[in-house]
Amino acid sequence: MPILLICLTIVYGLLAAFVWRFQRVGGDKPYPIKTELLILSVALLVHSLVLWQPLLGGKQIILGFGYSISMIVWLMLMLYFAGSFFYRLRGLQLLLYPVAALSMLAALVFPGHYTGYLATNWPFMLHIASSLLAYGLFGLTALLAVLILWLNRHLHQHRFSPMVAFLPPLLSLEKLMFQGMWAGFLLLTVSVVSGTVFSEEVFGVPARFSHKTVFGILSWLIYAALLFKRRQSGWRGKKVAVWTIVGFVSLMLAYVGSKFVLEVMLKNGA
């Protein structure tokens, strides 16, 4: 559905432009979060149609590069949408909507191979569901880490710009980041275990040592170390944010990066 991907790119791009303009010129006006979430709900409905039509129609889940990117972004937006009713997430849109627009454009330009897998394989579905949910949560924590670095830099330079006023306090951003990291880590653990211990049931072949395994386990170790140090010593600051981003990059290389290389660069559907 290329036309729907184009529409989603435009809508997410317009939402990004609106948020960026508001934080610059909004002043003391209350942010129209209800209007934003209403527009986002319509966009997510269309986005859901793009993603779930193959599953509902043919009982298949599609795992090409473009589809995977669309799914991860959809999960990130869904988590943001749901979380907005319980947490103060203002500021996250500054990065989330541009990333969403660029991701939709990438999915349109680089669709990859249209590879379908039957949704009746429950071990496989458990692995894929836990993996994608973990990617979505860690995607949000990575964006929060970028905001932490951004805000930290402004505060240390004593630059009290509209950006500083628009974002939540630094401690609130860090708290949200670690809450998301804990949930993502639990899901990633399920993904790693199901993808290795039950590899034959999930993929039809025994577990093997590959770049996906290396990057997957590496990202798990990074997040485990971050959460352990946070629990033991209350670790916080720029280094935590940097390592959070490193963990997410490693996680993306484990699956999405390999999809891009195999399907887009090498034109290989494997």
Side-chain angles (χ1 to χ4, degrees):
M1 300 180 180
I3 187 65
L4 293 182
L5 287 176
I6 294 172
C7 292
L8 288 171
T9 302
I10 293 171
V11 171
Y12 294 144
L14 289 174
L15 282 171
F18 170 76
V19 176
W20 274 91
R21 177 169 175 77
F22 185 91
Q23 67 88 18
R24 291 182 64 87
V25 302
D28 295 328
K29 295 179 183 178
Y31 181 74
I33 183 66
K34 291 183 179 179
T35 302
E36 179 210 326
L37 292 180
L38 179 61
I39 297 171
L40 179 58
S41 65
V42 176
L44 285 173
L45 189 62
V46 176
H47 202 154
S48 301
L49 177 64
V50 174
L51 293 173
W52 296 109
Q53 188 275 330
L55 184 61
L56 296 175
K59 304 299 181 183
Q60 289 186 332
I61 183 168
I62 311 302
L63 293 178
F65 173 75
Y67 187 91
S68 299
I69 289 291
S70 300
M71 175 66 82
I72 292 170
V73 170
W74 178 78
L75 286 167
M76 290 172 67
L77 290 166
M78 285 292 291
L79 289 167
Y80 164 74
F81 179 83
S84 295
F85 293 97
F86 305 97
Y87 301 97
R88 186 171 180 258
L89 300 179
R90 197 175 83 171
L92 190 58
Q93 316 98 306
L94 293 169
L95 298 177
L96 181 58
Y97 288 137
V99 166
L102 290 174
S103 298
M104 292 299 99
L105 188 59
L108 181 67
V109 177
F110 305 112
H113 287 273
Y114 191 87
T115 307
Y117 297 86
L118 290 177
T120 52
N121 184 342
W122 289 109
F124 177 79
M125 291 300 295
L126 173 65
H127 174 73
I128 291 299
S130 58
S131 299
L132 291 174
L133 280 169
Y135 293 158
L137 279 164
F138 284 130
L140 291 180
T141 61
L143 295 184
L144 287 168
V146 173
L147 289 177
I148 287 169
L149 291 174
W150 204 343
L151 185 57
N152 204 20
R153 182 183 177 187
H154 277 253
L155 292 176
H156 276 83
Q157 293 178 349
H158 303 287
R159 292 168 56 192
F160 295 100
S161 63
M163 174 75 71
V164 175
F166 188 74
L167 292 174
L170 192 59
L171 289 176
S172 297
L173 287 175
E174 287 185 336
K175 183 179 178 180
L176 280 171
M177 184 180 72
F178 276 103
Q179 286 176 342
M181 197 181 300
W182 269 112
F185 180 74
L186 294 175
L187 288 164
L188 183 60
T189 302
V190 174
S191 173
V192 170
V193 170
S194 62
T196 53
V197 177
F198 305 108
S199 178
E200 196 158 357
E201 290 81 0
V202 173
F203 302 110
V205 294
R208 54 188 179 184
F209 194 74
S210 66
H211 65 281
K212 292 182 184 179
T213 307
V214 171
F215 284 115
I217 294 176
L218 177 61
S219 59
W220 187 91
L221 290 172
I222 291 172
Y223 289 123
L226 283 169
L227 291 170
F228 177 77
K229 290 202 70 173
R230 172 72 172 187
R231 190 173 183 85
Q232 290 295 109
S233 60
W235 197 31
R236 55 185 297 269
K238 292 192 293 184
K239 286 186 178 180
V240 175
V242 170
W243 277 106
T244 300
I245 296 169
V246 171
F248 180 68
V249 171
S250 176
L251 190 61
M252 288 295 98
L253 288 174
Y255 179 69
V256 177
S258 63
K259 279 283 182 183
F260 180 78
V261 172
L262 289 171
E263 298 183 6
V264 178
M265 296 180 67
L266 301 180
K267 307 295 183 182
N268 187 341

